[in-house]
Amino acid sequence: MPIAQINIMEGRSDEQKEALIVEVTAAISRALDAPEQNIRVLIQELPRQNWGIAGQSAKKLGR
């Protein structure tokens, strides 16, 4: 059973996350010839202050 774990910064809409799940599932199914019903996609949302970019938090950088 393929499992994709995706880390993103918080702030995406439910619709965007649903679209991500659909697209990642389809890509894994095509690449691995795996049935979609066996694929799991886990999205972890991280606060901007917990996401570092070039030594600073994304929150501090205004992202």
Side-chain angles (χ1 to χ4, degrees):
M1 172 184 341
I3 301 173
Q5 294 182 295
I6 301 170
N7 294 310
I8 60 174
M9 277 189 270
E10 64 187 357
R12 296 336 192 279
S13 69
D14 288 343
E15 292 79 17
Q16 288 173 311
K17 290 182 277 187
E18 288 288 339
L20 179 60
I21 291 168
V22 168
E23 295 293 332
V24 169
T25 299
I28 291 171
S29 178
R30 282 191 310 272
L32 301 180
D33 195 28
E36 288 191 357
Q37 64 269 20
N38 291 349
I39 298 168
R40 306 294 185 261
V41 178
L42 309 174
I43 298 174
Q44 172 112 16
E45 290 186 280
L46 299 167
R48 295 177 187 283
Q49 65 268 20
N50 291 358
W51 194 284
I53 302 169
Q56 296 183 13
S57 74
K59 182 176 181 178
K60 185 175 182 180
L61 293 171
R63 296 205 182 171

